[in-house]
Amino acid sequence: MKRLSTLLIAAVVPVAFAAPSLAQEGKVLGVVDNGRTEIVFKAADTSDIDMQKLHTWSSFATEHPDIARTLGYHPSLINDDGWVKKHPELAEFFAAHPDIREAMEEDPGNYVAPPPREEESRAER
């Protein structure tokens, strides 16, 4: 009996810890059926995103929406020192947070996204 309970614990504990991760990864957010093609949208895996960096950037982006919007449409500007220098607030932010700039250069999609087009934002209302 003791051996059975030990085996049961050994099997259940890892599954219990993995379950929330698996549930999030498999969560279906929406499905689009377009004739012969079905597109399934699932929640993104955020386990590799440093949430503190994301919150820090989000605070800056909220205070400077024009800069954030431009980077959303043109994320390659993150690497353009000339453009960054034209925006002293952004240059100061990157000077204070070089790790965030590096993370944005590696994967800008984690930090900036194009804002919805005018017709898309009207459709959401």
Side-chain angles (χ1 to χ4, degrees), residues 69-80 104-105 108-109 112-114:
R69 185 178 311 105
T70 301
L71 289 174
Y73 285 116
H74 308 285
S76 63
L77 290 173
I78 294 165
N79 301 316
D80 185 338
M104 291 175 78
E105 288 171 348
V112 295

Side-chain angles (χ1 to χ4, degrees), residues 2-115:
K2 187 175 182 181
R3 178 181 274 172
L4 182 60
S5 63
T6 304
L7 271 165
L8 190 57
I9 290 171
V12 170
V13 170
V15 171
F17 283 109
S21 173
L22 293 173
Q24 178 67 18
E25 191 174 304
K27 182 179 177 187
V28 175
L29 300 175
V31 177
V32 175
D33 189 355
N34 189 8
R36 294 181 291 174
T37 304
E38 182 178 89
I39 302 169
V40 179
F41 294 91
K42 293 185 178 182
D45 176 18
T46 59
S47 64
D48 63 340
I49 299 174
D50 184 329
M51 296 308 287
Q52 183 59 44
K53 288 179 187 175
L54 183 59
H55 289 303
T56 302
W57 168 253
S58 293
S59 295
F60 177 86
T62 300
E63 294 173 17
H64 307 282
D66 291 339
I67 292 172
R69 185 178 311 105
T70 301
L71 289 174
Y73 285 116
H74 308 285
S76 63
L77 290 173
I78 294 165
N79 301 316
D80 185 338
D81 288 331
W83 189 83
V84 171
K85 287 177 185 174
K86 289 180 185 176
H87 300 86
E89 310 93 342
L90 183 61
E92 288 175 26
F93 178 82
F94 282 156
H97 305 283
D99 55 329
I100 294 176
R101 185 176 189 174
E102 183 179 311
M104 291 175 78
E105 288 171 348
E106 288 177 21
D107 196 350
N110 287 342
Y111 294 89
V112 295

